[in-house]
Amino acid sequence: MSPLTPTDSNVLTVSHLNVYAGDHHILRDINLEIPSNRITVLLGPSGCGKTTLLKCMNKLTDLYKELKVSGNIYIGNDDILNTTHNIPAIRQKMGLLSQRPYPLPVSIYKNVAYGLKIKGIRDRKLIDFSVEKHLREVGLWDEVKNRLNAPATSLSIGQQQRLCLARGLAVKPAIILADEPTSALDPISSKIIEHLFREMKRHYTIVLVTHVLRQAIRLADHVIFMCDGRIVEQGSPSDLFSHPQSDELRAYLIDGN
Amino acid sequence: MRRIKIIEEKIFVFLSAFMTYSLILVLMFIIGVVFVKGFNALNPDMILKTPRGGYYYGGEGGVLNAIAGSLYIAVGATLIAIFIGLPAALYINVQLIRHRKTQNTIRYFLDALWGIPSIVYGAFGFTLMLFFGMNASLLAGIITVALLISPIMVRTFDEVLSTIPRGLYEASLALGSTRTETAFKVIFRQGFPGFITAVLLSFGRGIGDAASVLFTAGYTDNVPVNLDEPAATLPLAIFFQLGSPIPEVRERAFASAVILTLIILLLSFSARFMAKKYSRTNLR
Ligand SMILES: Nc1ncnc2c1ncn2[C@@H]1O[C@H](COP(=O)(O)OP(=O)(O)OP(=O)(O)O)[C@@H](O)[C@H]1O
Ligand SMILES: [Mg+2]
């Protein structure tokens, strides 16, 4: 496969990405494009490297000294993988939503304000405005407006996950990286998150890892199927789900249903 | 069959409740006895005055020298132990994160250090002191007590840090904060209640220990003003006064014990209070 080059409709391009942990080849020559304002779903059996791929995208792999990462990841024309310049700004372009919510050990309000304060914004009115706006965006405002100073941990897990989403949105990312964001949630909270993702497509690009096949079918605009560190198939959901080409994907679809 | 199980259960519940409440009772009893025995000698002079001439024969004065000495030594040692403990705990948890074996070996050694009787630290401090040609002094006492409580500090800091989930760290970085911002605004904040507990636990151990300061801090009737002067301590003040044949002096020993106990109780209450206050916002 020839190296991919960045284009306008793709916000993020991964090219020849390889990740090793010692002898273990975790990601093998990954080439992919993330279309903008779409939901790209990453599918694959456990341990195939989905989380690692997401962590490469916002450079959290830097934290793991044992991982050797090579290749390129482009946002626009910038290779974000091979730079050490202004890493916080790169990470701010991507909101991370993890498997379980990790609210910061401060109040609900301060959780959302955190990213703004980090950016150096001090204007109280602006922060107030932004906190309300993003809490509304995730549908949490009415539930928490009377207790903004309560600890974030006093919220239910589903609310905490939405708070984490609002907190991420407040730093104005272009891409949302969501790693099984509903796996710790009850069905109703999961539905809310799914609904939010569908709404958010207008303004953001979403990369979603999920093990719930039905969720993938409901949400995906673009599907990438991985197995054992490799991309086995990628394309439109109708192609992949109705006409799987590989034995791996066929097996995965059967097991998942 | 069922019947027996129920009876068994009842016996166990009774036994564990009995043990729990008797422990509390014993604690109350100890405090009560000390209070009653020391009550007559408890007066403002005890905490406001140093021993005057003839104090140890029932003359005027108090144990301000020992209160001050104990506080100086405990505060000094705690500060040193924090400076040793925080970096060490960070090293174990951050740098060694992929080296389980090394981590556990270090923890094992620290736990062993924790278990060494304080008289051994006292003897070691004494040897060290002679080696450097120092006299029994505030400084020697501080260093010895710091050695005594450092393993406690490192291990409790370590426990706190190891319970902070990695995901929290990553969440903070993903929001665009630097490592330093993450360390101070998130990790420190999350660990704060635990850190306070660690510090006060170590402080309590340090201020109450007699054996480690026996040879190293010496004893004096004055409040020390320099690091190279000897310093009295409350545990030793209790020890000396309790050995007196004069009843009034023995009473003062108990009054001193009351003072020491109050200091420690005050500490553990404030520790609980602060930990509670700051853990409200914490991830569990
Ligand atoms: N820091 C690391 N050191 C060593 N091996 C690692 C590291 N991180 C991930 N791996 C290995 O890489 C492989 C892929 O892990 P990853 O977490 O990316 O899988 P995943 O697809 O997200 O799985 P799951 O669906 O269970 O979350 C696994 O075999 C894992 O053991
Ligand atoms: Mg994963």
Side-chain angles (χ1 to χ4, degrees), chain A residues 39-72:
Chain A
I39 298 179
T40 300
V41 169
L42 274 178
L43 279 180
S46 179
C48 70
K50 305 177 297 291
T51 299
T52 309
L53 179 54
L54 283 196
K55 281 188 176 157
C56 289
M57 292 182 185
N58 67 354
K59 290 178 83 67
L60 281 181
T61 38
D62 291 3
L63 304 182
Y64 298 80
K65 293 203 179 64
E66 66 279 11
L67 296 182
K68 293 272 166 299
V69 183
S70 65
N72 315 90

Side-chain angles (χ1 to χ4, degrees), chain A residues 10-50:
Chain A
N10 296 317
V11 273
L12 190 131
T13 304
V14 176
S15 137
H16 294 310
L17 178 70
N18 280 283
V19 176
Y20 290 88
D23 295 339
H24 185 181
H25 202 166
I26 298 175
L27 290 179
R28 302 163 187 249
D29 195 38
I30 300 290
N31 294 281
L32 59 86
E33 297 188 332
I34 304 292
S36 65
N37 297 86
R38 296 280 182 276
I39 298 179
T40 300
V41 169
L42 274 178
L43 279 180
S46 179
C48 70
K50 305 177 297 291

Side-chain angles (χ1 to χ4, degrees), chain A residues 46-47 49-52 99 179-180 209 211:
Chain A
S46 179
K50 305 177 297 291
T51 299
T52 309
Q99 193 161 356
D179 194 355
E180 302 178 44
V209 173
H211 279 296

Side-chain angles (χ1 to χ4, degrees), chain B residues 6-256:
Chain B
I6 293 173
I7 294 173
E8 230 176 58
E9 176 76 16
K10 278 199 169 148
I11 291 176
F12 271 105
V13 169
F14 173 77
L15 268 180
S16 28
F18 179 74
M19 292 305 170
T20 312
Y21 292 117
S22 28
L23 263 180
I24 294 175
L25 221 70
V26 168
L27 177 70
M28 305 283 258
F29 187 64
I30 293 174
I31 294 179
V33 166
V34 172
F35 256 91
V36 168
K37 289 215 151 199
F39 189 76
N40 281 334
L42 266 182
N43 56 44
D45 276 5
M46 273 306 280
I47 51 173
L48 294 177
K49 286 189 177 157
T50 54
R52 298 292 146 87
Y55 174 78
Y56 297 100
Y57 302 100
E60 249 193 62
V63 287
L64 179 63
N65 59 329
I67 297 174
S70 269
L71 286 175
Y72 288 169
I73 287 178
V75 168
T78 305
L79 288 179
I80 294 178
I82 292 174
F83 277 106
I84 296 173
L86 205 52
L90 279 171
Y91 177 75
I92 296 172
N93 281 283
V94 179
Q95 309 297 335
L96 297 182
I97 191 150
R98 286 276 144 198
H99 303 89
R100 261 281 137 72
K101 267 209 181 122
T102 322
Q103 272 185 338
N104 288 338
T105 315
I106 292 179
R107 284 178 179 145
Y108 172 78
F109 275 109
L110 288 170
D111 288 345
L113 277 178
W114 189 334
I116 290 180
S118 60
I119 188 73
V120 177
Y121 281 98
F124 177 73
F126 186 63
T127 318
L128 211 64
M129 201 176 85
L130 293 185
F131 181 79
F132 285 109
M134 278 161 60
N135 290 321
S137 61
L138 190 54
L139 182 65
I142 289 178
I143 292 174
T144 311
V145 176
L147 290 175
L148 170 75
I149 63 179
S150 286
I152 305 176
M153 197 75 96
V154 182
R155 278 298 273 133
T156 33
F157 277 165
D158 173 38
E159 282 305 317
V160 174
L161 287 178
S162 66
T163 57
I164 296 180
R166 186 156 193 154
L168 185 64
Y169 191 66
E170 293 186 356
S172 166
L173 288 176
L175 288 169
S177 34
T178 61
R179 280 173 195 237
T180 321
E181 281 164 338
T182 302
F184 283 100
K185 294 189 176 160
V186 178
I187 302 303
F188 185 73
R189 188 73 185 65
Q190 170 79 17
F192 194 66
F195 292 147
I196 290 185
T197 314
V199 168
L200 293 181
L201 194 73
S202 312
F203 188 91
R205 174 86 203 267
I207 201 170
D209 194 72
S212 57
V213 289
L214 186 58
F215 309 116
T216 53
Y219 202 84
T220 169
D221 284 349
N222 304 318
V223 173
V225 282
N226 272 319
L227 279 175
D228 59 359
E229 288 174 26
T233 46
L234 274 170
L236 292 185
I238 298 168
F239 175 68
F240 290 141
Q241 296 176 107
L242 208 55
S244 162
I246 304 163
E248 286 92 65
V249 178
R250 285 207 299 275
E251 219 163 47
R252 284 176 183 168
F254 284 104
S256 313

